[in-house]
Structures are given as C-alpha cells and as structure tokens.
Amino acid sequence: MSERASESSAGRILSDDDLAGLVDTDALIAAVRAVHVDEALGRAVQPVPMLTSTGPDTVLLPMIATSHRLGLTAVKILTDARGNGPGDGPAQQSTVVVLDARTGTRRAVLSGGRITRERTAAATAVATDALARPDARVLGVIGAGPLAVEHVAALRRVRDLHEVVVWSRTAERVAEFRTALRKREAADGVPAITVRAADSPRAAVQACDVLCTVTPAHTPVVEGAWFHPGLHVNAVGAPPRPDHREIDSAGMARATVVVDSREIQLAKSGEVLLSIADGSTTPEHFGVELGAVLAGQAPGRTSREEITLFNSVGVALQDLAYAALALDLGP
C-alpha cells in the first residue's frame, strides 16, 4: 500500500495529492485502450447514467462500470454545478468508489479531479492514435486550463508533435498554460515543445493537424466550416448536459464521428443531441464506438483526406482503468 494512502473500513482512501505522479501516462493510455476493447468484446459493461437535478443549477451524474477481466466495479459520483462561486469549489467535482465486482467489497475511495483529467487525456490519446493521420505534427488546443496541459502531455506519447497552437480568451490564460506545460515537460523529462498563441479559434483549427477542444462551452466555439481535409478533432470539454456543446452541427455532420459510448452519447452529449434535433445528423451518424475501432470491428480513418472526430463524454470504464493502476489491482 502507498505510504500516502490511508486505510479505513471503506478501503483505501486517496486524495488528489495522493494520486499525483502515481500513474504512468503510457501505462494509463494502454489501460484505457484495453477497457474500451473489453467493452467491444463483451468483457465489460457500463449502463447509461441517469442525470438528476439536485439544485437550481446543479446536476448529479452517477456513472457505473464493471470490468469482468479486472474483477472490479467503479462508481463515479459526478456533480456539475455551473453556478458555483469562489467559495463553492470547482463547477465539476467527483468521487470514485472502487468495489470488488464479485463480492461488492469496497476496495477504495478516490478523489476524482486528477483521475478525470488524466483518464480523459489518455482516452483522447487512444482515439488520436486510432484516428489521426500518422504524420500529424501540429496540435491545436481550444482552451488553456489544466486539461489542456494534460492533453499535450498525453498526445505527445502517440504522435511526434512539433508545435502546439493554443487559443484562449485571454493572453494571461495562454501564459499560464505555457508555464504549466513547461513544468509538466520538466517532470516528464521531455524537451519543450513550441507553443504559439492563436488569435482566434478559427486560426487554431486551420493551423493544426489534430484539434482538441477542452472548454466548458455552452454554445459552439468551433465551426465545421473551418475544418480542412485530413483534420482529426477531439471534442472533449463540454459538461454532461444535453444543451452544451463546443462543436456546431455542421462540424458533427462533416466529420466521421467515433464515440466512447453510443448509448451514453445519445443520452447526454449536446454535440450529438443538438445536431440530431436540427436535422444535421441522425442517431446512426454516432453508431461507431472507439472500442469497436480498436478491436477491428469497425473502420477508423479510411483516407488521408477524411475528417475524423472523437466525441468524448467520458465514461466510468476509463475511471476504472485509472483506479486499477493506482491501486495496483491489474490482472
């Protein structure tokens, strides 16, 4: 057991600080890839979570997944309180409970903030590796918070990136991103990547080979009219609300879309639901899951010119993959 972790009748309890540096990024990418393949092959399950309103502007999303291969169940309790003020904590907060899948015994309780950032970036790396062109060299990032830094670190593991083009609403945020990225690069022992600020979201999109949108947007910040042949897009940041999205309907319609979970996307992804509602797409447009692509059951990118898009809502299997590594509960 980690010396930093505590133990109680609830099993091990790990805070965000306990989890810092505990999980290797390459190992996490491999673990997230494996659980998506497991789901495609029937070795894992995750039901559609039920979104519940718990306050005037707060929703609760309990996310559950079981891996038969790992013998574990993860229950993630996520709240999204977009009205939170400075004294209320971040808008999104979460806790992950890990259970023995057979006996129901609690194995651990983990703070979900770091888990969410790291497993989300790992899933994006898995999707990028499966869908982006092999010669992708320029990464575009819309948004400049901690999730953006995590994405750069993860995507450098799957593509030989030479430059990051980043857009944020303020120059101060871009400067903070650059500083945080340099600290992360030093910790990872990798050379500093070139960082260039874009003067608009459109400029960032048009300059890159791979795009990550990592903003809590309510209305689209990226338009499909800006997409160019060969682009791969990772739509990551929108919160789990059916009326929030970062990519407009034209973007969803133009791209070959791969999702992390079709059923969950059709229940809570604004990108999916709003583009269906206005007639730009149909549910069939979102029928290909990442696990099926990884397992060879469905095609990914089929040409250099194709525009591909991974729509990420985040699923509990990814949290479970992280927890298994952090707790050393792998097979």
Side-chain angles (χ1 to χ4, degrees):
M1 174 168 35
S2 166
E3 293 181 358
R4 295 178 295 175
S6 61
E7 184 132 13
S8 73
S9 59
R12 296 168 63 184
I13 301 176
L14 287 85
S15 68
D16 273 354
D17 288 342
D18 294 327
L19 294 169
L22 197 58
V23 173
D24 175 75
T25 302
D26 287 315
L28 181 57
I29 291 170
V32 168
R33 181 182 290 111
V35 293
H36 277 284
V37 172
D38 284 344
E39 185 178 25
L41 299 180
R43 299 192 296 239
V45 294
Q46 51 185 358
V48 177
M50 182 176 66
L51 196 69
T52 302
S53 177
T54 62
D57 205 15
T58 302
V59 295
L60 171 72
L61 190 72
M63 302 162 61
I64 303 171
T66 293
S67 167
H68 302 306
R69 174 175 58 87
L70 295 172
L72 297 173
T73 293
V75 181
K76 182 176 189 176
I77 304 164
L78 170 69
T79 58
D80 183 66
R82 60 188 177 189
N84 275 4
D88 299 322
Q92 288 195 4
Q93 302 179 64
S94 60
T95 301
V96 178
V97 180
V98 183
L99 309 172
D100 183 293
R102 184 182 66 83
T103 67
T105 302
R106 287 186 299 270
R107 303 297 298 270
V109 178
L110 300 86
S111 179
R114 184 176 298 276
I115 293 176
T116 300
R117 290 193 301 273
E118 294 187 13
R119 63 79 154 150
T120 299
T124 300
V126 171
T128 299
D129 199 27
L131 299 171
R133 289 180 9 178
D135 60 352
R137 296 293 180 264
V138 179
L139 174 64
V141 184
I142 306 296
L147 189 56
V149 173
E150 203 64 49
H151 271 71
V152 177
L155 267 64
R156 292 187 71 176
R157 309 299 179 105
V158 300
R159 287 295 183 273
D160 182 20
L161 299 175
H162 294 174
E163 184 180 33
V164 178
V165 180
V166 59
W167 177 84
S168 184
R169 296 188 185 279
T170 69
E172 290 78 12
R173 292 286 285 172
V174 173
E176 291 170 1
F177 165 81
R178 191 190 306 267
T179 298
L181 181 60
R182 294 299 179 242
K183 290 180 179 178
R184 178 59 186 269
E185 290 165 338
D188 289 345
V190 298
I193 193 170
T194 299
V195 175
R196 177 163 58 91
D199 59 11
S200 67
R202 179 173 186 167
V205 174
Q206 296 183 334
C208 70
D209 305 311
V210 174
L211 176 71
C212 296
T213 60
V214 290
T215 73
H218 181 261
T219 56
V221 291
V222 169
E223 298 179 15
W226 305 340
F227 291 176
H228 55 82
L231 178 68
H232 172 65
V233 179
N234 299 295
V236 177
R241 295 173 181 262
D243 60 343
H244 283 56
R245 58 176 170 174
E246 298 178 288
I247 313 293
D248 71 358
S249 293
M252 302 308 286
R254 285 194 67 191
T256 298
V257 178
V258 174
V259 299
D260 43 17
S261 169
R262 181 178 185 274
E263 290 184 348
I264 295 174
Q265 295 259 347
L266 289 170
K268 68 186 187 82
S269 169
E271 267 93 1
V272 171
L273 294 171
L274 293 171
S275 68
I276 292 173
D278 67 21
S280 299
T281 65
T282 66
E284 290 70 30
H285 192 69
F286 306 101
V288 177
E289 294 186 345
L290 178 59
V293 174
L294 299 172
Q297 299 172 345
R301 174 175 292 275
T302 59
S303 73
R304 285 183 56 82
E305 302 302 299
E306 186 176 13
I307 298 168
T308 56
L309 188 150
F310 174 56
N311 199 44
S312 172
V313 293
V315 291
L317 271 176
Q318 297 162 0
D319 299 300
L320 190 155
Y322 183 105
L325 287 175
L327 301 168
D328 195 21
L329 297 177

